[in-house]
Amino acid sequence: MFSFLNQMPYQRGPWLLLFIGGLSLEFCALYFQHVMKLDPCVMCVYERVAMLGLTLAGLFTCIAPNYLLFRLTGFALWIASAAWGLQLALTHTDYQMNPSPFATCDFFANFPDWFKLDQWFPWMFNPIGYCDEIAWMFLGWSMPQWLIAIFAGFLALGIVFFVLQWRKK
């Protein structure tokens, strides 16, 4: 069993699955925004960027998972994106569960001048909602609470597969 798991980072399938999983969640976000008319807030937009990092990690590493440079870059992007997404989702949940006029998110996305996603792709990255508003719930959890579970799962899997690649065959 462990030999099968040890080989997974070297195969395209798991990386393709990471790409498809991240892309599916991005499509879900767009469905919530454009079909269900749920306006994304700044934290939602940043969480989308973190999910995009996971998606790109899967796509990039799928090119050549047998090469160490590709795998290490993929794992770095995977783990960093999942950790950042988890931190964002925790903060976003705090905004919703403990609303305060002193702890709010920005009204505009603060992307660097060389990476203005909100201007290049406003249909996906333009925040027009409020961070403390709970507009959707499923099984008693709000969207950022679900994202905590999702990003934590991605982070745990990233760490496990990163460690597994170094086990002796």
Side-chain angles (χ1 to χ4, degrees):
M1 167 129 173
F2 279 114
S3 67
F4 170 72
L5 291 176
N6 288 354
Q7 292 302 312
M8 288 187 83
Y10 299 91
Q11 300 172 0
R12 280 194 173 91
W15 294 102
L16 188 60
L17 193 59
L18 177 64
F19 169 72
I20 291 169
L23 191 62
S24 299
L25 290 167
E26 292 286 7
F27 283 140
C28 285
L30 291 174
Y31 177 83
F32 283 125
Q33 178 180 351
H34 295 289
V35 176
M36 295 180 66
K37 303 296 184 197
L38 301 177
D39 296 331
C41 66
V42 170
M43 296 301 287
C44 298
V45 167
Y46 293 155
E47 290 158 353
R48 288 180 185 186
V49 173
M51 191 62 66
L52 187 60
L54 289 167
T55 305
L56 292 176
L59 181 63
F60 175 78
T61 312
C62 193
I63 295 169
N66 286 324
Y67 291 100
L68 182 63
L69 181 63
F70 277 81
R71 272 197 325 279
L72 290 180
T73 304
F75 276 121
L77 188 55
W78 178 352
I79 292 169
S81 295
W84 183 50
L86 179 58
Q87 182 267 325
L88 289 167
L90 288 166
T91 302
H92 192 175
T93 299
D94 187 52
Y95 287 151
Q96 289 185 343
M97 298 297 124
N98 305 304
S100 166
F102 305 108
T104 61
C105 64
D106 297 330
F107 290 111
F108 304 102
N110 290 318
F111 292 115
D113 289 335
W114 52 270
F115 199 62
K116 290 290 191 185
L117 289 176
D118 56 332
Q119 293 174 7
W120 300 339
F121 306 104
W123 51 271
M124 185 169 182
F125 297 109
N126 187 29
I128 52 178
Y130 299 101
C131 293
D132 59 353
E133 179 183 352
I134 300 175
W136 178 88
M137 291 188 83
F138 180 67
L139 298 176
W141 283 10
S142 68
M143 200 167 305
Q145 289 173 317
W146 281 105
L147 285 174
I148 290 171
I150 290 166
F151 282 121
F154 275 122
L155 181 59
L157 284 173
I159 292 169
V160 165
F161 283 118
F162 179 76
V163 170
L164 280 176
Q165 78 171 335
W166 302 110
R167 284 181 46 101
K168 297 243 188 241
K169 298 176 183 169

